[in-house]
Amino acid sequence: MSMPPPVPSQSIPNYMVWSILITVASLCLCCIVGTIPGIVAIVYSSQVNSKLNAGDLAGATQASSNAKLWCWITTGLCILGLLLNIVWVATGGAAQYMEMMQQLQQAQP
């Protein structure tokens, strides 16, 4: 008979909810720049439970730590993207863009 892997006495967070939510938010706020580290965070988050089920407590702890790091990196990029969007709108970026596009259309023969 095979014995199931031992259940750790402490809970190791996987940060899956945080990584998914911040990846979606970064996709909305700063495009691909924040989405790539968000996907990395999701990958590490998914490794936590699988390593725990395999009995690899050290690997699960390392994956949890990596997931948390990548979640913070994605959160920082998301905040930066939000600030850049606010500055762009506050300085009239959309209006200037529309004006430039109209000038380009008028300049074409």
Side-chain angles (χ1 to χ4, degrees), residues 18 41 45 64 73:
W18 183 14
S45 296
S64 176
I73 290 170

Side-chain angles (χ1 to χ4, degrees), residues 18-93:
W18 183 14
S19 61
I20 290 173
L21 290 177
I22 201 64
T23 301
V24 170
S26 67
L27 184 62
C28 295
L29 295 174
C30 59
C31 298
I32 199 74
V33 174
T35 306
I36 293 171
I39 292 171
V40 173
I42 292 172
V43 169
Y44 280 119
S45 296
S46 67
Q47 290 178 358
V48 174
N49 290 342
S50 61
K51 289 185 179 192
L52 275 177
N53 291 336
D56 184 9
L57 186 60
T61 304
Q62 184 63 38
S64 176
S65 176
N66 288 339
K68 184 178 181 180
L69 172 70
W70 285 103
C71 282
W72 277 115
I73 290 170
T74 308
T75 301
L77 289 172
C78 192
I79 291 169
L80 179 64
L82 177 63
L83 292 174
L84 289 174
N85 282 329
I86 290 171
V87 167
W88 184 69
V89 169
T91 59

